[in-house]
Amino acid sequence: MKNCYDLIVIGGGPAGLAAALSAYENGLTDILILERDQVPGGILNQCIHNGFGLHHFKEELTGPEYAGRFIDQLEGTSIELLCDCMVLEITDEKVIHAVSPKTGYLALEAKSIVLAMGCRERTRGAISIPGTRPAGVLTAGAAQRYVNIEGYMVGKKVVILGSGDIGLIMARRMTLEGAKVLACVEVMPYSGGLTRNIVQCLNDFDIPLYLSHTITEIRGKNRVEGVTVSQVDANRQPIPGTEIEFDCDTVLLSVGLIPENELSRQAGVPLDFRTNGPKVDENLQTEIEGIFACGNVLHVHDLVDYVSDESARAGKAAAAYVKGETAVGDYWNITAGDNLGYTVPQRVHRAADGVQIFFRVRRIFANSVIEVTCGDQLLAKFRREHMAPGEMERINIPKALLAKADGDITVTAKEA
Amino acid sequence: MKQIICIGCPKGCHVQIDETTYECVGNACPRGAEYAKNELTDPRRTLTSTVVIEGAAIRRCPVKSDRPLPKAMVQDAAKALDEVRIEAPVNVGDVIVENILGTGCNIICARNIAKA
Ligand code: SF4
């Protein structure tokens, strides 16, 4: 195996695959993907439900099918893929230290790097549920892997905490495999998942959704025996007297995802505390030249289609960087103003060919406007009929409008 | 008027449908009207599940119905798949169960899995 590449992509999930393929299409031939699992495809391999690809392929695919389309495209390219390979460290000099049973220890040099490590689930520890510590408390994604790939059923009577999409999907999946899902419990007054998933995963199977409720106790010695669910007030504090008891043997947690940035941090890539991902510019380049980031390691997405698009841009930008064609010059910062949780990118070259900005709002909006301002100057305005924290928004600022900016840019959302 | 939430895409439009004329408002695209009408007359869902696979590096093969099944039969069809055993290699699109439970829908393979 060589020890120097034009581009090394860390992660062979949807983001890594799309980035590598796009870099290849844009003229790089010397590309290596490092994947820690036995096979490429990442989390899509266990997402056996459909609904993927409506934007990208204009048809509805399951996760494995969606991944398969990208994996098939590797065939006939010069892109190298090394699976079963764990990256241990990335240095700011772009040296990658990794191990794999096949190759042993590797120290690889890269002219450019795309970070595509994805994200992981928040666990019980991250949300501190009181009670005992029995078996039977799993993250929804772990349960999904057990059921869909390993072929183990994880429980018979299930309560799901959190109404994120993975939790909703697992409510249906467990039901189809013969379990009884007693309730889905969400601390917020609205669901964190897509409406279609509430309909087809909960309503279709008469699974009740308890909004503004949370689990206040888990009982059981060896195995979960039951949970207490309480209503919460506007400050998310449990209201005494509202307790509901459920006899269940399993609790699945769908309480959020965290971009997996240990490697980025080690490399000295500055992170944004709001996204938990690297700070990037319009080309998805981090603040270390030649290191790019895309997909869920950058910010958590709702749709893989958007991950693929974003990652293709990162791959293209990495190719441009290796060819010495990267944009240079000064930046404007892009700030998340009123009602926005974050923006990606966090800064843009002043002379950029426009910029696509992704963000999430902090609460639900009916008729609303998104305003892009620079000081007192309104650069652009976008109308939306509906916005929710569970749905990532994106806006395009064309070059002509961006050129009008004479300082840092702020994006805000408000009622129309 | 009945309200039906379209599951055609992640937008999730709230479609108002007249139960006699099937006239719709609130759908952002024509598929919403078609979906809402079907929900009233013949609700269907695509089934995705897994079957046991032998001779492969993994133990389960993802499968799906090649077209939507009558909603009322989805759970029975999933149960019927419990008994199915297949042998690697398989490819996307291979028919795993033909005409499941007489619905006219086939269960097809959703992942390329090589022989281990
Ligand atoms: S009506 Fe069209 S846009 Fe609206 S949810 Fe259905 S398919 Fe999507």
Side-chain angles (χ1 to χ4, degrees), chain A residues 157-159 180-184 206-208 210 246-248:
Chain A
K157 284 198 277 177
V158 185
V159 170
K180 176 82 190 146
V181 179
L182 303 169
C184 178
D206 300 318
I207 299 168
Y210 292 86
F246 289 98
D247 289 329
C248 60

Side-chain angles (χ1 to χ4, degrees), chain A residues 146-217:
Chain A
Y146 277 127
V147 175
N148 291 348
I149 294 191
E150 318 285 347
Y152 296 110
M153 193 54 183
V154 296
K156 295 197 183 88
K157 284 198 277 177
V158 185
V159 170
I160 297 178
L161 178 63
S163 61
D165 286 313
I166 317 171
L168 299 175
I169 294 288
M170 281 312 289
R172 173 175 64 184
R173 187 72 192 116
M174 295 296 289
T175 307
L176 288 177
E177 287 299 323
K180 176 82 190 146
V181 179
L182 303 169
C184 178
V185 180
E186 168 62 55
V187 72
M188 301 301 283
Y190 49 83
S191 160
L194 297 170
T195 315
R196 68 190 313 230
N197 286 335
I198 304 276
V199 174
Q200 60 184 351
C201 299
L202 297 185
N203 300 358
D204 272 9
F205 301 99
D206 300 318
I207 299 168
L209 171 62
Y210 292 86
L211 297 173
S212 298
H213 279 72
T214 193
I215 294 182
T216 42
E217 193 187 358

Side-chain angles (χ1 to χ4, degrees), chain B residues 16-38:
Chain B
Q16 302 282 342
I17 182 163
D18 186 301
E19 281 129 308
T20 44
T21 61
Y22 301 131
E23 253 171 76
C24 292
V25 285
N27 48 313
C29 84
R31 287 171 51 206
E34 199 190 317
Y35 173 81
K37 185 178 171 196
N38 286 342

Side-chain angles (χ1 to χ4, degrees), chain B residues 6-13 15 27-33:
Chain B
C6 178
I7 60 168
C9 83
K11 210 170 157 166
C13 295
V15 184
N27 48 313
C29 84
R31 287 171 51 206

Side-chain angles (χ1 to χ4, degrees), chain A residues 39 45 48-50 54 60 62 64-65 148-152 173 175-177 195-196 199-200 204-205 303, chain B residues 5 7-10 14 45-50 58-60 62 64 71 74-75 78 82 92 110-112:
Chain A
V39 288
N45 288 325
I48 62 153
H49 53 281
N50 65 344
L54 275 167
E60 198 164 56
T62 64
E65 288 173 308
N148 291 348
I149 294 191
E150 318 285 347
Y152 296 110
R173 187 72 192 116
T175 307
L176 288 177
E177 287 299 323
T195 315
R196 68 190 313 230
V199 174
Q200 60 184 351
D204 272 9
F205 301 99
L303 296 182
Chain B
I5 297 169
I7 60 168
C9 83
H14 290 63
R45 296 288 184 267
T46 299
L47 168 66
T48 58
S49 189
T50 56
I58 50 174
R59 293 155 42 99
R60 291 293 179 274
K64 68 172 186 182
K71 189 175 147 188
V74 164
Q75 261 172 299
D82 288 354
V92 171
R111 181 173 175 180
N112 297 328

